[in-house]
Amino acid sequence: MERLAWLRWMIGALALAFGLAVAAPAVAVTGTPLAVCVRPALPGQTAAALFAEPAGFDCATPQTRFGGGDFWILSQRLPTVDGDDATVRIGSTWVNRVTLFVLYADGSIRRTGFTSRTAGRSLGLGAVIVQPLPRHDATPVRLLWHVEGAANLRGLILGPAIASHDQRDTTEILLAALYGGFGGMAIALIVYNLALWGALRQAFQPAYCLLVLCLLAYALTSSGALGQMLPGLDNNDRQRLNALFLAGSAAAALLFARTFFERAVFAGWLRPASPMVMAALLFTGLVWAAFAPWHFHMLDTLLASAYLALLVLIPVVLFRAWRARSNFLWLFALAWSVPIVVAALRVANAFELLAWSIWLDNSTILSMALESMLSSLAIAYRIRLLSVERDTAREQEIAARLLADTEPLTGLLNRRAFLAQAIGRPGDQMLLIADVDHFKRVNERIGHDGGDEVLRVVARALRNAVPPDALVARIGGEEFAILLDATSAIAPDAVLERLRSQRMPFDIVVTASIGACTGPLLYEKDWKLLYNCADRALFAAKAAGRDRAREAPPVCIAA
């Protein structure tokens, strides 16, 4: 069953990776990308005049170089499309208002648009704004966006593309499958880790639940699903939440690593450094969400720097884990390799070293979906090691307890363990005291090693002569005690017969005497009375010539 469980995890991880590899290109090519040119907005400009003067637009300078403000963005000439079946897709950015002007072949211009407060009505999964082209009899030939209040952190118009309604629906279905699959998996991971935490109480389990919960919230905000559920939510406020939950996810990931690895991995300067990076991520994310768009680029640079600090810290953690020969390094590295690469790409995009793309914009949640699957495998392995460690510790504890309760030479109970189990037994009990006759002579004849072997043979014979629930102990040098319920008592002579039938070392003849007594054994005082009674019976057996048994009457216990 354990092998099948591991196999299911591996198949699930491979299936998810395959699904991402197949679905991502499908999402990326759903629609025809459009090249655009930029022009800063000035008072008095009109859409008709700008359509007529395309040469005034800058098509070479990267959009982020223009900074924030108001702009006009002109598309290339559109491919031949059916205007009634066409939609325009752009990535969601921080803007106050976007107005889309459409130039048709007959020279007509139609307009549509949205503000940050109304963007939720046009928000599709993947955090893209999807706008149908205004209906008109002529064919659309060019698009012009008027962007007002743009922060321009990653660009003014991100990933513009024109797509049919069928292509739009295909994209929505694919993204819904990916985000829905991640959401379901995230909820399942939270539930089973919390359930296991109730039993195992390992610190990495609530840390991992916090990580997955933050990722779930990030997926809800970054996918645009939150905007669809709450159309009245300001799109800029959605992006505030998105930034906050992403920072929380990064901090939770570091917290998970800190609790997942052995303590030695985060020894030294790394122990205070890791919470400092977590605090920096949470603080900069909170400041970004609270104060944007105030000094927007400065806030964004600070947040990106916190992510950069995390990326610098990760190789150190992995190297420390390798130096410490961590049992969990290979699984952690396998699970987090893709998210780390994606995080590096996102930081490069934040520092304008890499251009924006819809694939890059959705890469975090897709990579974290793969990470969640593989991390659950790592956690399963971690739990398995914990189970092995606990089983081993339990076995060692049991063995230690047995050693503490066992007389080492014969393997019988020692006096302390015998009394602990004997006193308090309900009902009348029969106590037999057996003593090897002339044991000093046995030692003188065959040596102490031979004498020890004689004691082992006697112990084995006594154990085999009584029922399994009887207590058998060595309570002195050559003295043994047997205690059993009076209702299932055996004759002391039967025990002697068992002893006489045993073959002794060097074929010497060894005999024993037995004294027996029956009575209650609820309290320690009862033990003293019962033992004295059996001991007197043993003395009587010795006095009568040894190699025999004597049983005292129960009434003697009251004497």
Side-chain angles (χ1 to χ4, degrees):
M1 292 299 293
E2 184 177 352
R3 291 181 179 179
L4 289 177
W6 281 78
L7 182 60
R8 284 196 296 269
W9 280 113
M10 292 302 296
I11 291 175
L14 292 175
L16 179 60
F18 178 77
L20 296 180
V22 171
V27 173
V29 300
T30 302
T32 303
L34 299 175
V36 295
C37 304
V38 180
R39 181 171 180 169
L42 298 174
Q45 292 174 323
T46 64
L50 292 170
F51 273 126
E53 298 178 6
F57 286 81
D58 187 341
C59 301
T61 305
Q63 294 183 27
T64 52
R65 299 290 176 84
F66 290 94
D70 300 344
F71 298 90
W72 294 94
I73 294 93
L74 182 67
S75 77
Q76 68 187 52
R77 294 191 67 84
L78 300 180
T80 302
V81 295
D82 181 1
D84 293 337
D85 188 42
T87 59
V88 178
R89 301 168 54 85
I90 59 173
S92 174
T93 58
W94 187 289
V95 293
N96 293 334
R97 180 186 298 273
V98 174
T99 305
L100 173 63
F101 297 89
V102 184
L103 176 65
Y104 293 89
D106 62 358
S108 300
I109 298 175
R110 297 286 185 270
R111 62 187 288 177
T112 183
F114 61 89
T115 66
S116 63
R117 288 191 174 276
T118 62
R121 303 168 189 170
S122 304
L123 195 62
L125 290 177
V128 294
I129 305 294
V130 183
Q131 293 180 282
L133 294 183
R135 291 184 177 275
H136 192 69
D137 294 336
T139 302
V141 294
R142 208 157 205 168
L143 306 178
L144 178 67
W145 289 271
H146 186 207
V147 179
E148 300 174 63
N152 197 11
L153 297 176
R154 308 290 179 263
L156 297 167
I157 293 293
L158 298 179
I162 191 164
S164 67
H165 289 284
D166 287 342
Q167 290 175 319
R168 178 200 63 186
D169 293 342
T170 300
T171 302
E172 287 287 298
I173 291 171
L174 287 171
L175 286 173
L178 288 174
Y179 282 103
F182 171 75
M185 181 176 64
I187 293 172
L189 289 173
I190 291 172
V191 169
Y192 95 74
N193 273 285
L194 285 178
L196 288 174
W197 180 66
L200 298 177
R201 296 290 176 177
Q202 294 297 311
F204 70 84
Q205 291 175 293
Y208 186 69
C209 290
L210 177 63
L211 167 61
V212 176
L213 189 62
C214 288
L215 287 173
L216 194 60
Y218 171 71
L220 188 65
T221 55
S222 68
S223 67
L226 184 62
Q228 292 182 345
M229 290 188 291
L230 303 172
L233 178 67
D234 192 300
N235 192 48
N236 291 344
D237 290 340
R238 179 192 65 82
Q239 294 181 74
R240 295 177 197 270
L241 294 174
N242 185 34
L244 184 60
F245 286 129
L246 182 59
S249 300
L254 186 54
L255 176 64
F256 169 64
R258 186 181 165 97
T259 54
F260 184 76
F261 282 117
E262 297 88 344
R263 187 177 179 85
V265 174
F266 281 84
W269 66 269
L270 200 56
R271 183 163 298 278
S274 53
M276 289 175 62
V277 172
M278 285 187 278
L281 286 165
L282 294 174
F283 177 75
T284 53
L286 184 61
V287 169
W288 195 101
F291 293 100
W294 176 77
H295 289 286
F296 221 149
H297 284 271
M298 180 191 72
L299 294 179
D300 198 59
T301 300
L302 288 175
L303 182 58
S305 299
Y307 285 112
L308 183 61
L310 175 63
L311 289 175
V312 171
L313 205 62
I314 288 172
V316 179
V317 172
L318 296 178
F319 176 74
R320 284 284 192 86
W322 175 76
R323 287 286 300 273
R325 296 183 178 182
S326 170
N327 292 321
F328 320 118
L329 173 60
W330 68 276
L331 275 172
F332 189 88
L334 177 65
W336 285 89
S337 57
V338 175
I340 289 171
V341 171
V342 167
L345 295 177
R346 293 293 295 269
V347 171
N349 174 245
F351 284 105
E352 301 182 15
L353 301 176
L354 190 66
W356 180 93
S357 70
I358 189 172
W359 165 244
L360 181 62
D361 202 38
N362 288 275
S363 59
T364 298
I365 198 63
L366 297 177
S367 65
M368 292 310 296
L370 181 60
E371 179 278 328
S372 295
M373 177 66 76
L374 293 175
S375 282
S376 63
L377 177 64
I379 288 177
Y381 177 69
R382 181 86 158 81
I383 291 173
R384 179 179 179 275
L385 290 183
L386 283 172
S387 176
V388 171
E389 289 175 3
R390 289 197 172 188
D391 288 345
T392 302
R394 189 177 294 111
E395 290 173 0
Q396 292 175 345
E397 180 183 355
I398 293 173
R401 189 181 299 117
L402 288 175
L403 287 174
D405 293 345
T406 302
E407 194 279 315
L409 178 63
T410 62
L412 299 178
L413 294 175
N414 57 31
R415 186 183 184 91
R416 180 193 60 79
F418 177 79
L419 292 178
Q421 297 183 43
I423 296 175
R425 289 170 63 128
D428 284 349
Q429 304 293 314
M430 183 179 204
L431 176 65
L432 289 79
I433 304 296
D435 187 85
V436 179
D437 296 328
H438 302 301
F439 187 68
K440 182 178 179 181
R441 296 179 186 176
V442 172
N443 279 333
E444 292 173 350
R445 182 176 177 184
I446 60 176
H448 288 283
D449 290 341
D452 289 344
E453 183 60 28
V454 167
L455 293 177
R456 280 191 284 267
V457 173
V458 171
R460 187 164 56 248
L462 294 177
R463 178 72 269 179
N464 293 333
V466 296
D469 60 342
L471 301 181
V472 184
R474 182 187 178 194
I475 58 175
E478 63 271 15
E479 188 175 71
F480 299 85
I482 300 172
L483 185 73
L484 63 164
D485 194 279
T487 58
S488 59
I490 63 172
D493 287 327
V495 177
L496 277 180
E497 286 300 323
R498 189 62 178 255
L499 281 172
R500 292 170 184 144
S501 66
Q502 299 299 308
R503 183 177 179 181
M504 294 294 174
F506 303 102
D507 289 330
I508 66 172
V509 177
V510 176
T511 63
S513 300
I514 295 179
C517 190
T518 301
L521 193 50
L522 291 176
Y523 307 104
E524 186 173 354
K525 64 178 183 178
D526 295 336
W527 160 254
K528 294 178 180 179
L529 293 173
L530 190 62
Y531 178 80
N532 289 334
C533 179
D535 191 54
R536 286 197 294 270
L538 174 64
F539 181 79
K542 295 277 190 182
R546 294 183 170 84
D547 189 23
R548 66 200 63 211
R550 291 290 184 268
E551 184 172 355
V555 293
C556 80
I557 196 168

